Amino acid sequence: MRRLGHLEQVARLWRELEDDHWLPDYADGLGEQIIGLRHAGISNLLPKRLQPEGNGYSCVDEHGQPWGRLRGQGSLVSRIETYMEEHGTSYDWISDWMGEVSGDSWSQWGKAMRIFWVRQRDQKKVKVLEHYWNNPSDPVTAAKTCSGLYASPSKVGLGYEKEPQLKRAWQIWHGFVQELLACTDFPNNDREARTVRLIRTENDAGLKANKLTPFEPKKDSEIKRGVCESSSIFKAFVNAGPHITLQTVPHIRVITCYFTERTGGANRCCLKEDHENEFIFLTHGIRCDYEPSGGSSTQVESDEDKYKGLFSDYAPFGSSSTQTQSNADKYKGLFDE
């Protein structure tokens, strides 16, 4: 019965991937690795709950342990490193990518890996130029540049001949992230619907390029974004600008999150810093709500009055009392400068 339960869950995941236009080869491998992670005992060690405390982004598990087994000596990342070696691939593919994109999402690794993710989905239904390629005036050339980086071993050490090992590494890591999202309660994670609610900030130019008017709220908006982009799960982080967008993202689109460490035992955020509380997800077709933050678009004030009612009709998932406050304290420190 337990095996049947596992297969039923993986079948549901496979149907989600199929409906979301992932290629069968990637979907099959992802399902296989999820079952493998369960058999290896890794999934059973995931925290049952992560609760942000104090600063709003440092988390403790259900036992009060910071990050549970996701970081520190003997962490699950250490087990993943070993698991990947046993399955003919290397965790270096993942950790090197994390290191580069934590500094610049459009680094060589960042550009090349966008092509990898494009190649895992049906390009007849998820068209390349429906993504943003960091050059609005000539997206074709920009996309070709990214493709060249992916194909050339001299650039970032990829090359098509290494794609099977790269794909297996990502199927394992993506599978680990899927298990984490499915097994762990934390604010803004709807485990039943298999979605997370993410916060991403934009600048004036980004809004206008997508036919949005700064400080005019709009529901169910479409914003063209890169193949994979970062957002925040608990607190908005100002990167490009102060305009807040909220999007409901299917679990299967999330490819990594800041809860884990980059290297087994390092006990540090896998991405840049914890205060960014960053999730990285595939963006195509995900619509968002634009919620003006108020005040000047060129300033990010810290006064609490600015943020009253910021999420006017947005109720976070879960029942944590720290996520359902209606007073102004909820919004203190919402932006990390």
Side-chain angles (χ1 to χ4, degrees), residues 282-324:
L282 306 188
T283 69
H284 183 269
I286 294 178
R287 303 179 75 85
C288 65
D289 296 339
Y290 166 47
E291 297 281 356
S293 58
S296 167
S297 63
T298 61
Q299 298 177 346
V300 183
E301 294 90 1
S302 60
D303 62 283
E304 61 191 34
D305 289 336
K306 176 179 175 182
Y307 305 112
K308 287 181 178 178
L310 181 63
F311 300 99
S312 54
D313 62 347
Y314 166 51
F317 297 122
S319 58
S320 168
S321 60
T322 63
Q323 296 297 309
T324 55

Side-chain angles (χ1 to χ4, degrees), residues 4-21:
L4 288 174
H6 288 324
L7 292 173
E8 183 178 358
Q9 292 167 9
V10 172
R12 176 183 175 183
L13 175 70
W14 203 97
R15 288 193 296 270
E16 291 175 4
L17 292 163
E18 183 180 37
D19 292 343
D20 199 37
H21 312 307

